[in-house]
Amino acid sequence: MELADILGGACPVRQAGPGDDVDGVMPRVVATPGSTEQTAALLRTCHQHRLAVTTRGRGTRLSWGRPPRRLDVVLETTAMDRLVEHAHGDLIATAQAGLPLADLQAVLAEAGQQLLVDDLVGGGTVGGLVATNACGPRRLVPGAPRDLLIGVTMVRADGTVAKAGGKVVKNVAGYDLGKLLCGSYGTLGVVTEATFRLHPLPEATSWVEADVPMAELAGRVAAVRHSQLVPSALEVDAAPADGDGTAADRARVAVMLAGTAGGVRARTESVRGLLGAGAQQTDPRWPFRLPGDDRTAPRTSQEPADRPVLLRMTAALSAVPELVRHATAASVAVRGSAGVGVLHGRLRGSTDPADVADRVQRLRRWCTAHGGSLVVLDAAPHLKQAVDSWGPVGGLPLMRRVKHEFDPAGVLSPGRFVGGI
Amino acid sequence: MTTQAGHPSDPERQASVLRGADPAAEVQAQREPAGAPASRGTVAQVREDLRGLLPEEAVLTDPARLATYECDGLAAYRVTPGLVVLASRPEHVAATVRACARHRVPFVARGSGTGLSGGALPHADGVLVVTSQLRTLHEVSGEDQRAVVDPGVINLQVSQAATPLGYYFAPDPSSQQICSIGGNVAENSGGAHCLKYGFTTNHVLSLDVVTPDGEQVTLGTRAPDAPGYDLIGAFVGSEGTLGVATRATVRLVRLPEDVRTVLAGFDDTDQAGAATSAIIASGIVPAAIEIMDALAIEAAEAAVQCGYPEGAGAVLLVEVDGPTDEVAHELAEVERICREHAAIELRVATEAADRAAIWKGRKSAFAAVGRISPDYIVQDGVVPRTALGQVLRRMSEISAEQGVRVANVFHAGDGNLHPLVLFDGGTEGETERAENVSGMILDLCIEQGGSITGEHGVGSDKARYMPRMFTDEDLDTMQLVRCAFDPDGIANPGKIYPTPRLCGERPGRHQGAHPLQETGVAEIF
Ligand SMILES: Cc1cc2nc3c(=O)[nH]c(=O)nc-3n(C[C@H](O)[C@H](O)[C@H](O)COP(=O)(O)OP(=O)(O)OC[C@H]3O[C@@H](n4cnc5c(N)ncnc54)[C@H](O)[C@@H]3O)c2cc1C
């Protein structure tokens, strides 16, 4: 029997074709369940046959992490694209995993609300947001998706459907499985529905931007951080000086303010004062893009042709300005939140695998020594082979045990995550 | 407090068959009557193992001293621990847990013992690991906006140390003068201000943990987004069932420029609730919104003379904080909305002392209720905020029908109710009636899509309600995490989950054998 026939009883299934690969690995079929029940039926059958499954939303970050060791079935969530509930009086919303984030935000905005996350890649889905825990500048106040997720419905590798959390913002009954799923790259289960805490859309927002000499970056950033102006974002951006191994000599700093019209106006002036001469009120796009990404339209699918080496670097807050200097000296363009301590980086210059691996390793040592970490989110396949994507992972043996409990047969995206999980 | 007496059932004591290579012992374990499989060692063995590893004075065996640890903040449950270890170094915790693991003796972590769900209730045949002497503040940094602290450090001490730098630790349980950071981590504690600033889980960057096999592991880094699974997310709120936290790196938050507190009196809780909804709908996220009903006001008034508005059937307490310009605007909005909802009196406090006066009544509420009733049960259910009015009405109907008085104090902003069910344990039948009403209130919360606990935890007290909120599959999935950390079920057994399953066991309808079975290491009998 053909695989499509075996799985076809569970949900719509088609043969895999061009563009269905996961980071270069071709599946045999693509299945598109339309509900949690169909997802469960599909996974149950896959599990019986020990078929390896990778979950895909709209594929905008599918190449992040490692390529799967094994792949039979791509489970696509796009047919689960309903907004299940928007309780605006309670400031919560439940959405199916395949709902595009942009669509969700559009509906919420009509009620004057938002899910306070930024999709730096663009075009992503709710499920992908959970799976990668990826976010952007406005995480400064509310935190990452893991902090906004209050309930989750998941299907385990063997088809068991489980929920955790709920639809109230305050809830300590049982383990918080939602947090465990956030950033798990689909290796623990398939998220089919997620419930989030929402925030009101502010009456007014503004950005203040300044171009500052590297030597002054630390002081300016610290002044904003230690102010009581409650910025909604504090971003930095710097590009290496043309690959000659010297650090950038200037950096851009941008500060976002949100609140009431009068309050924002006053605080905007205060921030201009803190950022020094030349600080201007602007409407920058760059904080909402990954470094080196200056496209204007949102990306809808993977573009494997030009895959930059994309890094996520973290460090203790006081070390961030130094990280900017250090990274640019290693020919890495950096951009990210100096208020949170998480920067994205894009490696420039030589694409020789050994050289890339060496630069990644050196920069990682620096991040680790300064209380943080460095993860290679994405890179071309031949480079991924040469680099360690994750670096040291505290608690890795425990993570392996968690994986083994949730997916003892190792069928969910094997190899995509830390330590070969 | 509840009057459930004695020792909660302890089914997972039987759940020890898969580990250990001695098939004879396992067979014997199966033949043992429920309660004490032979494969469990004794606290005496643990005590022997600890000789020389820990200072003598750190290990308590004197029955009188052991008895002082028989309960936490929920005094209705009491069990004298088999052994108490007062750890003053992380290594003490690790050595103790390792010894427990070797003999498969249960251990229970304890911080300050203020928990309200019997989470730190000891085991008669187990070891109580007390972390309250691990109390060094290793680092408090404004530059890095973080503090690195031992688990026994008191919540308020962190904020006190950070305040001169302009920062504070945001989670502020009402017990913050005595509860420990370790307890906050284990319970995912919140406070009145978590509406705006989040719970403990939103503020922990890194944790040193002794896992139930005695390993010392560091989870997370001192910056967010550490690689790998978010095990901190799983550990925070796990009530001591995944191991013992021995150090925490927590985020510090900048002190707000301005804080204002509004006190509004209303005719009834309906109006106070409607005002709350209107405030939230206006787009304001206050730092705190609290409501007290007539009975709670009466109690507080009698206890601390807080001088709340005369004749009010409910008071609403709203705090707004942030940049001065924003606060001024939000304050005006809050005042306007309260007036629109027929507030009978409105007070605004700016100075710290005036704000403290307003908070005094609210903060004294639990203790105050203790003065108007011999006994009471504190519940901690949560409902969607928009269901508050309906739930409160139904609660007063239940109270009237059952003839049991219920005082209400609650975190209205996030729908977290603290109904205080009043009774006199000395009067025949009252205890049962009060417990019955408590259960009905929790059912009401679940019906509304809420939770049985918003901040006090499940512990020993509410484990039996978990199946009302979650399916077997949900609970089973949570158990997978438990099994990954603690396959022998020795970390705080009997808490949270009513009937934990055997680790490695796949429930009947699932296929495939456990790897230990597959490789012939163990059989399920
Ligand atoms: C008057 C009063 C008011 C309260 N108000 C609030 C409130 O507003 N908000 C709120 O959230 N709670 C409140 N509580 C409950 C309680 O104070 C919190 O749950 C607190 O976090 C418990 O801290 P503790 O140190 O006393 O922990 P304990 O009671 O000692 O232990 C609580 C749980 O944590 C575990 N534990 C303790 N230390 C560790 C450790 N180092 N590692 C692993 N597990 C550990 C224990 O095993 C137990 O399960 C209140 C309690 C009282 C008595």
Side-chain angles (χ1 to χ4, degrees):
Chain A
M1 220 167 44
E2 285 288 316
L3 193 51
D5 298 328
I6 296 173
L7 302 176
C11 68
V13 176
R14 65 168 170 82
Q15 296 298 329
D20 285 328
D21 69 289
V22 177
D23 207 3
V25 184
M26 271 311 274
R28 294 156 68 190
V29 296
V30 175
T32 319
S35 64
T36 300
E37 294 69 33
Q38 287 190 7
T39 305
L42 176 75
L43 286 180
R44 208 151 37 232
T45 310
C46 288
H47 196 250
Q48 273 162 10
H49 297 275
R50 296 293 190 263
L51 299 170
V53 181
T54 288
T55 307
R56 172 170 88 194
R58 296 172 109 210
T60 63
R61 274 160 287 180
L62 198 60
S63 61
W64 286 18
R66 308 289 302 177
R69 260 196 308 274
R70 217 154 65 72
L71 182 60
D72 300 297
V73 180
V74 161
L75 187 164
E76 195 174 80
T77 61
T78 50
M80 295 185 273
D81 61 352
R82 272 188 317 115
L83 174 61
V84 179
E85 182 185 10
H86 174 203
H88 58 89
D90 292 318
L91 283 154
I92 64 126
T94 302
Q96 289 187 320
L99 181 66
L101 266 177
D103 294 8
L104 173 62
Q105 300 287 24
V107 177
L108 300 176
E110 282 170 27
Q113 298 181 354
Q114 59 179 331
L115 173 58
L116 204 32
V117 296
D118 301 301
D119 180 356
L120 298 183
V121 177
T125 60
V126 164
L129 176 78
V130 173
T132 55
N133 195 36
C135 47
R138 292 182 302 162
R139 70 183 289 183
L140 180 56
V141 176
R146 56 97 69 190
D147 297 295
L148 297 168
L149 183 75
I150 57 172
V152 70
T153 303
M154 69 175 294
V155 184
R156 274 163 36 194
D158 64 2
T160 306
V161 177
K163 292 187 184 202
K167 52 179 212 173
V168 285
V169 296
K170 198 170 180 186
N171 179 7
V172 294
Y175 297 154
D176 195 344
L177 297 181
K179 295 214 170 31
L180 203 53
L181 292 167
C182 278
S184 67
Y185 285 69
T187 58
L188 292 178
V190 177
V191 172
T192 58
E193 277 182 22
T195 305
F196 297 96
R197 170 181 192 171
L198 307 176
H199 284 82
L201 280 171
E203 182 184 312
T205 59
S206 81
W207 281 90
V208 181
E209 205 179 332
D211 185 33
V212 303
M214 192 60 79
E216 289 173 27
L217 181 64
R220 303 283 173 86
V221 163
V224 176
R225 277 208 291 117
H226 297 307
S227 76
Q228 289 170 311
L229 299 168
V230 194
S232 297
L234 169 52
E235 293 285 297
V236 290
D237 177 55
D242 289 324
D244 60 0
T246 52
D249 53 9
R250 303 189 75 80
R252 283 194 283 188
V253 182
V255 178
M256 183 189 178
L257 298 157
T260 61
V264 166
R265 210 174 307 121
R267 285 188 286 149
T268 300
E269 282 316 304
S270 306
V271 169
R272 285 180 66 163
L274 293 176
L275 288 185
Q280 287 191 3
Q281 203 178 332
T282 60
D283 187 14
R285 297 310 303 154
W286 62 262
F288 297 101
R289 299 275 183 260
L290 291 167
D293 175 3
D294 294 318
R295 84 207 131 77
T296 45
R299 204 165 68 152
T300 49
S301 69
Q302 236 175 315
E303 291 154 22
D306 172 35
R307 272 168 56 186
V309 178
L310 180 65
L311 313 176
R312 189 182 63 209
M313 299 167 287
T314 72
L317 284 177
S318 63
V320 169
E322 183 56 22
L323 173 56
V324 171
R325 213 192 57 79
H326 210 78
T328 52
S331 291
V332 174
V334 291
R335 188 175 279 184
S337 179
V340 175
V342 178
L343 304 179
H344 285 105
R346 181 180 175 143
L347 208 68
R348 296 244 177 100
S350 156
T351 53
D352 169 61
D355 179 55
V356 168
D358 180 56
R359 281 194 287 155
V360 163
Q361 202 49 41
R362 271 186 294 145
L363 202 49
R364 173 174 284 144
R365 267 199 298 275
W366 194 92
C367 291
T368 310
H370 290 81
S373 64
L374 183 151
V375 168
V376 181
L377 291 174
D378 200 5
H382 72 286
L383 293 180
K384 275 194 189 176
Q385 276 175 8
V387 301
D388 170 4
S389 293
W390 314 103
V393 178
L396 185 58
L398 272 174
M399 291 175 193
R400 290 213 168 90
R401 273 144 64 178
V402 170
K403 168 70 174 177
H404 180 77
E405 291 292 333
F406 277 78
D407 179 18
V411 294
L412 292 179
S413 287
R416 292 257 289 140
F417 203 46
V418 296
I421 284 173
Chain B
M1 310 282 155
T2 93
T3 55
Q4 213 81 34
H7 198 284
S9 69
D10 198 357
E12 68 295 326
R13 282 205 203 157
Q14 303 149 42
S16 55
V17 188
L18 271 180
R19 275 286 177 103
D22 180 1
E26 286 164 15
V27 172
Q28 199 190 348
Q30 284 302 298
R31 292 200 190 113
E32 283 283 324
S39 51
R40 287 262 194 247
T42 63
V43 289
Q45 289 171 303
V46 173
R47 208 261 156 282
E48 277 313 306
D49 283 12
L50 294 181
R51 263 182 227 290
L53 295 178
L54 264 63
E56 277 304 300
E57 66 277 10
V59 183
L60 308 186
T61 51
D62 168 25
R65 292 194 70 191
L66 292 179
T68 60
Y69 293 93
E70 66 183 1
C71 66
D72 63 5
L74 182 53
Y77 296 92
R78 289 169 195 270
V79 174
T80 302
L83 194 72
V84 170
V85 169
L86 305 177
S88 49
R89 302 170 53 87
E91 293 71 31
H92 296 167
V93 176
T96 307
V97 171
R98 247 191 325 272
C100 288
R102 192 174 307 125
H103 301 291
R104 296 153 91 195
V105 165
F107 66 88
V108 178
R110 177 186 166 111
S112 303
T114 67
L116 290 175
S117 54
L121 183 74
H123 267 251
D125 305 319
V127 179
L128 189 72
V129 184
V130 180
T131 54
S132 57
Q133 311 216 335
L134 281 156
R135 52 182 172 216
T136 305
L137 281 128
H138 296 276
E139 180 190 326
V140 177
S141 164
E143 288 300 299
D144 286 330
Q145 291 176 221
R146 72 182 182 199
V148 183
V149 301
D150 276 351
V153 167
I154 302 304
N155 172 297
L156 191 60
Q157 287 176 339
V158 182
S159 287
Q160 282 169 342
T163 299
L165 307 171
Y167 290 83
Y168 73 110
F169 180 54
D172 62 338
S174 312
S175 51
Q176 70 178 154
Q177 299 192 346
I178 36 173
C179 67
S180 72
I181 294 293
N184 296 168
V185 164
E187 299 285 354
N188 187 18
S189 296
H193 294 87
C194 59
L195 173 62
K196 183 169 179 179
Y197 293 102
F199 317 94
T200 303
T201 190
N202 308 113
H203 297 274
V204 177
L205 289 168
S206 166
L207 281 180
D208 285 1
V209 166
V210 173
T211 58
D213 52 10
E215 294 270 333
Q216 290 179 262
V217 181
T218 298
L219 306 178
T221 57
R222 288 178 182 179
D225 293 6
Y229 295 134
D230 187 352
L231 296 184
I232 292 179
F235 192 94
V236 177
S238 65
E239 304 190 23
T241 62
L242 300 180
V244 185
T246 53
R247 189 175 286 197
T249 303
V250 298
R251 289 200 305 130
L252 298 175
V253 177
R254 185 74 173 96
L255 285 165
E257 187 176 22
D258 212 342
V259 187
R260 302 288 167 94
T261 310
V262 179
L263 180 75
F266 291 89
D267 282 335
D268 52 40
T269 49
D270 265 11
Q271 277 177 347
T276 302
S277 292
I279 290 168
I280 300 286
S282 76
I284 297 174
V285 183
I289 310 186
E290 307 281 310
I291 294 179
M292 290 167 72
D293 73 358
L295 193 50
I297 299 170
E298 179 194 320
E301 211 63 71
V304 297
Q305 293 82 45
C306 46
Y308 282 177
E310 196 99 18
V315 292
L316 176 67
L317 198 160
V318 183
E319 193 154 280
V320 288
D321 70 5
T324 305
D325 297 300
E326 300 289 346
V327 167
H329 175 87
E330 292 185 346
L331 186 68
E333 272 296 286
V334 169
E335 287 184 72
R336 184 184 62 77
I337 292 168
C338 287
R339 289 216 171 80
E340 264 176 29
H341 287 80
I344 54 175
E345 197 181 322
L346 210 60
R347 291 180 207 161
V348 178
T350 309
E351 297 308 317
D354 300 336
R355 285 192 283 112
I358 288 184
W359 276 105
K360 189 171 170 192
R362 167 64 185 88
K363 292 203 167 170
S364 72
F366 287 11
V369 163
R371 293 168 51 144
I372 62 164
S373 173
D375 301 288
Y376 64 93
I377 299 171
V378 186
Q379 280 302 358
D380 178 38
V382 188
V383 296
R385 184 176 42 239
T386 49
L388 265 180
Q390 195 186 336
V391 168
L392 290 174
R393 271 192 298 280
R394 181 76 197 108
M395 231 193 283
S396 50
E397 283 164 25
I398 292 174
S399 162
E401 282 160 24
Q402 305 288 321
V404 173
R405 291 195 302 165
V406 179
N408 259 305
V409 180
F410 49 96
H411 307 299
D414 41 29
N416 186 194
L417 306 166
H418 286 320
L420 300 148
V421 182
L422 314 188
F423 68 102
D424 179 353
T427 305
E428 173 82 31
E430 278 215 7
T431 307
E432 291 69 28
R433 269 209 302 285
E435 290 199 329
N436 188 30
V437 166
S438 264
M440 289 167 87
I441 291 172
L442 289 188
D443 282 338
L444 196 57
C445 294
I446 296 168
E447 263 166 44
Q448 296 290 336
S451 170
I452 56 173
T453 173
E455 57 184 19
H456 295 168
V458 178
S460 310
D461 193 38
K462 288 187 278 292
R464 67 207 144 112
Y465 293 107
M466 286 290 275
R468 299 197 199 170
M469 193 173 155
F470 294 108
T471 65
D472 286 351
E473 284 77 17
D474 301 342
L475 294 174
D476 194 59
T477 304
M478 293 180 192
Q479 282 296 304
L480 296 176
V481 179
R482 174 84 183 263
C483 291
F485 277 77
D486 181 24
D488 281 341
I490 59 170
N492 212 2
K495 314 297 167 66
I496 309 182
Y497 304 104
T499 47
R501 69 176 167 82
L502 187 61
C503 292
E505 171 196 25
R506 301 274 149 208
R509 60 187 188 75
H510 299 304
Q511 298 188 334
H514 186 275
L516 288 178
Q517 264 179 293
E518 279 172 345
T519 52
V521 173
E523 280 300 326
I524 296 175
F525 294 95

